Amino acid sequence: MTTPSPSAAAFDPAPILAGDRRAVARLLTQVENGSPLAEAALAALFPHTGRAHLIGVTGAPGTGKSSLVNELAKTYRRQNRTVAVVAVDPTSPFTGGAILGDRIRMRDLAGDAGVFIRSMASRGALGGLARATADVVKVLDAAGFDKLIIETVGAGQSEVDIAQTAHTTLVVEAPGLGDEVQGIKAGILEIADVLVLNKADQPGAEGAQRALRASQEIGRAAGPHPTAGRAAWLPPILPTVAVQGQGVAELAEAIDRHRAYLRETGLDRERERARLTAELEGRLREALLAHLLARLDSGQFRQTVDKLMRRAVDPAGAVAQLLDAARPA
Amino acid sequence: MDQRKIRVLVAKPGLDGHDRGAKVIARALRDAGMDVIYTGLRQTPEMIAEAALQEDVDVIGLSILSGAHLALAPRILELLRANGQGDVPVLIGGIIPDDDVPPLKALGIADAFGPGTSTETVVAAVQAAARRKWQADPPGAG
């Protein structure tokens, strides 16, 4: 089914650009639900995006991500910068529902007109974010927030979508989560621009910090990181005790240093280009699939799956057949 | 494609420290497929109204065990109206004497449930309230 995009003219972006909180909140619901209005709105708002500093916060469940976001937001408010938080929690694969509980740890931010918090369910996406998170971020960016903090679902070793979405990615660790070998595995540690060792007042914190540093050194010894070049950025390791606000000012400084580094090296433009390329490819893939399926006779796709079941054709051969069948006569 | 899910805020205003009931309700609503924004204990009316605004919820469920429901409800409703969210149905559960239900409804509370109400009853009430709101404010409306 191909429906033409409604024109951007049907949507008035003024309330969003002015930061009208109710208008922003209502549009975010539309964006989350993928409504036609959202499509028009995103088209109208896109020229106004690209200004906010997007900060990703990821890490295993229970490392204190929400408490850290709470303290980081307070630090930014003391610097007179406005903050939006997008907090993603997992959707139950069994019921389709979700409990979004990140606001519990962010109650200090209540009553501040310079802060906007929005909870999102992951809705089956597996990368640590929801499919609509990138678009939700665009709306908040256009609404003029200076700092946009994106908190992922409690992530393990492969929820690395956040690095694609954010400018600066924080990976939050806590003592007792694993040994050195965890550190040389691929995955979440690799995406860190800043490593945070939260709960640094707890037993094992020193050992954990040593292990993180050791894994970085092993990485350097093994050769340059694939994204390296120019003046290399070595992710700093910052100990924090989020519930007491300890180490958070230093963390905010490190995040600002990273943003300055991205700008000075031109990496920000490069990353933006890679991000937009990936987004375009993803959307094209979806649109082309829908376009192709619309050209096939009803049942043709299902019949091809039946053939695969009988081993009458192999998957690559089936693709060739379907592409042939969809070719305009 | 309309992927609209019911967004419901479960909040616990007042000073008593028992949120087991609120958590059971939150879980039941989640199991019914809703996105449940759970804000925890000791929420002021201002915090509840602010969360309702930012999260653009369809329904608000309040758990009140302290007996302060007749004091808290009008304040919360007033703040919702001030934010342009007078159309968001508010349901109350907790220790609500039967005699207090009519005055609560007169204030504008959509429904009130006392001890012993089944989770099925609450889930059905939230679903019905969300449907009524959506009919008045269809998806796609700005």
Side-chain angles (χ1 to χ4, degrees):
Chain A
M1 192 182 67
T2 50
T3 42
S5 267
S7 94
F11 171 81
D12 173 17
I16 304 295
L17 297 176
D20 176 334
R21 295 160 84 77
R22 173 123 169 89
V24 167
R26 286 172 65 94
L27 179 57
L28 294 183
T29 307
Q30 303 277 344
V31 165
E32 208 180 1
N33 293 331
S35 77
L37 177 93
E39 215 176 298
L42 288 165
L45 294 174
F46 187 67
H48 303 278
T49 62
R51 221 192 40 99
H53 183 194
L54 313 186
I55 301 160
V57 180
T58 189
T63 49
K65 293 184 294 296
S66 300
S67 302
L68 199 66
V69 168
N70 179 49
E71 289 299 324
L72 201 52
K74 278 160 67 181
T75 305
Y76 288 139
R77 291 302 295 138
R78 281 195 290 274
Q79 301 169 350
N80 228 359
R81 301 196 264 199
T82 55
V83 183
V85 177
V86 180
V88 187
D89 269 327
T91 292
S92 160
F94 303 107
T95 67
I99 299 222
L100 313 175
D102 290 314
R103 296 185 82 98
I104 297 174
R105 315 247 178 264
M106 300 181 194
R107 54 185 297 142
D108 295 349
L109 306 174
D112 182 343
V115 178
F116 189 101
I117 305 168
R118 181 64 175 230
S119 313
M120 275 188 99
S122 64
R123 296 201 179 175
L126 295 177
L129 301 176
R131 267 186 74 230
T133 301
D135 285 339
V136 161
V137 164
K138 283 183 198 128
V139 172
L140 293 166
D141 187 350
F145 291 97
D146 298 319
K147 297 282 180 182
L148 229 157
I149 307 177
I150 307 150
E151 182 186 333
T152 73
V153 303
Q157 296 177 309
S158 58
E159 289 86 347
V160 295
D161 282 0
I162 186 66
Q164 186 77 256
T165 305
H167 299 124
T168 303
T169 300
L170 277 53
V171 174
V172 186
E173 298 275 335
L177 285 183
D179 58 17
E180 247 171 275
V181 184
Q182 302 301 332
I184 40 178
K185 288 186 186 169
I188 201 159
L189 281 183
E190 271 186 307
I191 63 168
D193 296 310
V194 178
L195 272 163
V196 183
L197 183 70
N198 193 32
K199 307 191 183 182
D201 58 341
Q202 288 189 8
E206 259 174 64
Q209 200 168 342
R210 256 198 316 278
L212 285 173
R213 195 165 301 124
S215 82
Q216 279 189 331
E217 275 157 20
I218 289 167
R220 270 205 308 285
H225 192 272
T227 64
R230 288 149 293 233
W233 171 265
L234 181 67
I237 303 170
L238 287 143
T240 58
V241 184
V243 290
Q244 292 165 26
Q246 267 177 44
V248 178
E250 292 80 358
L251 174 60
E253 266 172 47
I255 294 168
D256 280 347
R257 270 204 309 282
H258 182 255
R259 190 181 205 196
Y261 163 80
L262 290 179
R263 284 178 168 166
E264 282 156 18
T265 53
L267 263 177
D268 57 345
R269 302 297 300 162
E270 228 166 276
R271 282 196 184 185
E272 175 78 350
R273 195 172 178 86
R275 200 188 59 65
L276 289 173
T277 303
E279 180 170 354
L280 185 60
E281 281 176 1
R283 285 183 192 265
L284 259 178
R285 204 172 291 129
E286 265 176 47
L288 282 174
L289 181 64
H291 183 73
L292 181 93
L293 291 178
R295 296 190 75 100
L296 294 174
D297 296 333
S298 68
Q300 212 165 354
F301 187 86
R302 198 174 37 77
Q303 286 155 16
T304 307
V305 179
D306 292 342
K307 278 198 234 165
L308 286 171
M309 290 291 289
R310 294 195 305 272
R311 301 298 191 266
V313 65
D314 71 298
V319 168
Q321 286 179 10
L322 287 177
L323 285 177
D324 236 19
R327 190 160 296 154
Chain B
M1 182 171 35
D2 186 15
Q3 300 171 357
R4 195 168 189 184
K5 270 184 203 285
I6 296 174
R7 288 177 72 81
V8 52
L9 177 70
V10 174
K12 192 150 182 354
L15 297 175
D16 71 285
H18 302 279
D19 64 348
R20 188 178 176 280
K23 282 178 175 156
V24 168
I25 292 299
R27 177 61 193 257
L29 296 172
R30 185 205 82 154
D31 288 347
M34 302 179 201
D35 283 353
V36 183
I37 294 108
Y38 184 70
T39 55
L41 291 166
R42 298 190 184 86
Q43 298 282 302
T44 64
E46 286 76 12
M47 289 163 92
I48 291 167
E50 184 181 28
L53 179 83
Q54 294 178 0
E55 302 287 357
D56 187 33
V57 294
D58 301 305
V59 181
I60 298 171
L62 302 175
S63 164
I64 307 181
L65 307 176
S66 63
H69 43 273
L70 285 170
L72 289 164
R75 180 70 187 136
I76 290 167
L77 292 169
E78 183 189 314
L79 289 166
L80 290 173
R81 279 193 290 269
N83 283 344
Q85 284 193 296
D87 62 332
V88 177
V90 179
L91 290 77
I92 298 187
I95 302 177
I96 314 290
D98 288 348
D99 287 352
D100 286 352
V101 174
L104 283 171
K105 288 194 172 172
L107 284 167
I109 294 294
D111 223 331
F113 304 102
T117 308
S118 72
T119 53
E120 289 84 358
T121 304
V122 177
V123 167
V126 171
Q127 284 167 335
R131 263 197 303 274
R132 280 197 301 276
K133 179 174 180 283
W134 286 359
Q135 271 160 16
D137 177 25

